[in-house]
Amino acid sequence: MNTVELAPHRIAGLLAPAVDRTFRAGMLAGRDGGGAELSQRYGGVTATGFLVDLRTRLAAPGGTVDGSGFAAITRYQDPVACRRTVDKQVAHGMLHRGPDGALSTTERGAAFLAELYQVHAEVTEELWAGHDDRVARLVALLGRLLSYALVLADDEPDQGGSAFTALAPPYEPDGTPSGVLLLNRLGALRYHRADAHAAAWTAAGHTASSIATLPTGPERLAIELETDRRAAGPYAALSSEERLTMLADLAALPG
């Protein structure tokens, strides 16, 4: 009989590296399996970089990312450099920037994202071949997690954050393959934790610059534990057994 109890804050901490590993494996496979070549056809990273990051919102018809959401997504980057990068992607005809700073795709940008979704479909099918049951379970569990996280973000603003709500729920047109659903739902969950981490280091008096250089030690450990607490909310939607299943399924996926 399984007697393991994984409280929400514990599973939040245990799952974070597993989520990162699986998501990065899918994105790396996408880059090496056609994504880099696709980007070059549209002008290279200078033209496509932020479209990849913002794909789960900008791929949707009429999808936009507002200025505050973009600032949260890029919180660890130099804002001046980010603006210049957006300027270049606007000049390449990939992004449109509204008077209020909101970003959306042009027709050309939307075409790139449609092709990128197809690349991700092909590479994740190959990467996770033979793991259909695990992928299906993870997609279902992540769907419940993200739905509950969005409810919490509406009801309790400190439970969600602008990076997460800027990109969630992911755009999932009818017929989206399971591998793409898994990849993009994992990406959205990572942004939920990123917002929790930012809230934790802000409460501890840090900035994006200072937390990046904070050495390992009691202060960083305290911030990580507070991150786990703030990221824990959505896991209340899962039973202890489901939390353990999610951890085991992620650990078993190749990548």
Side-chain angles (χ1 to χ4, degrees):
M1 179 177 178
N2 178 24
T3 59
V4 175
E5 289 291 335
L6 289 174
H9 70 279
R10 286 193 61 206
I11 195 64
L14 290 170
L15 274 172
V19 167
D20 280 351
R21 182 192 68 83
T22 308
F23 174 78
R24 291 178 188 278
M27 292 301 292
L28 181 61
R31 187 195 70 185
D32 294 344
E37 180 183 350
L38 172 64
S39 176
Q40 285 301 316
R41 285 200 283 111
Y42 280 85
V45 175
T46 301
T48 64
F50 280 136
L51 275 83
V52 177
D53 296 333
L54 309 180
R55 70 192 180 284
T56 59
R57 175 60 55 85
L58 295 189
T64 62
V65 173
D66 64 22
S68 63
F70 182 72
I73 293 161
T74 58
R75 60 170 58 98
Y76 297 107
Q77 301 177 50
D78 175 31
V80 174
C82 287
R83 180 173 181 83
R84 288 173 179 165
T85 299
V86 171
D87 289 343
K88 293 175 183 176
Q89 291 170 14
V90 170
H92 274 276
M94 302 294 285
L95 282 177
H96 172 74
R97 180 170 47 208
D100 60 355
L103 300 176
S104 58
T105 60
T106 61
E107 184 175 340
R108 180 175 172 80
F112 166 74
L113 290 180
E115 289 193 62
L116 182 64
Y117 264 58
Q118 182 58 39
V119 167
H120 286 167
E122 293 169 0
V123 299
T124 56
E125 181 180 16
E126 181 178 351
L127 178 64
W128 296 322
H131 295 270
D132 293 356
D133 289 346
R134 287 193 177 92
V135 170
R137 278 194 301 268
L138 286 166
V139 166
L141 292 175
L142 284 161
R144 288 166 55 194
L145 282 174
L146 296 181
S147 293
Y148 193 45
L150 286 165
V151 170
L152 293 177
D154 285 339
D155 294 346
E156 303 176 50
D158 67 332
Q159 292 294 320
S162 54
F164 172 67
T165 55
L167 296 177
Y171 176 55
E172 299 173 349
D174 291 345
T176 301
S178 294
V180 178
L181 296 178
L182 177 56
L183 180 68
N184 289 345
R185 291 181 185 187
L186 287 171
L189 187 61
R190 290 176 80 245
Y191 277 116
H192 183 273
R193 184 174 179 86
D195 287 332
H197 186 51
W201 55 249
T202 298
H206 281 279
T207 64
S209 298
S210 66
I211 192 64
T213 58
L214 182 67
T216 301
E219 185 179 7
R220 179 169 283 280
L221 176 60
I223 290 171
E224 293 300 327
L225 292 174
E226 178 62 9
T227 299
D228 293 344
R229 186 190 71 79
R230 291 175 181 265
Y235 295 100
L238 305 183
S239 68
S240 292
E241 183 177 356
E242 288 172 327
R243 296 168 199 160
L244 188 60
T245 295
M246 185 174 175
L247 184 62
D249 281 341
L250 284 172
L253 285 181

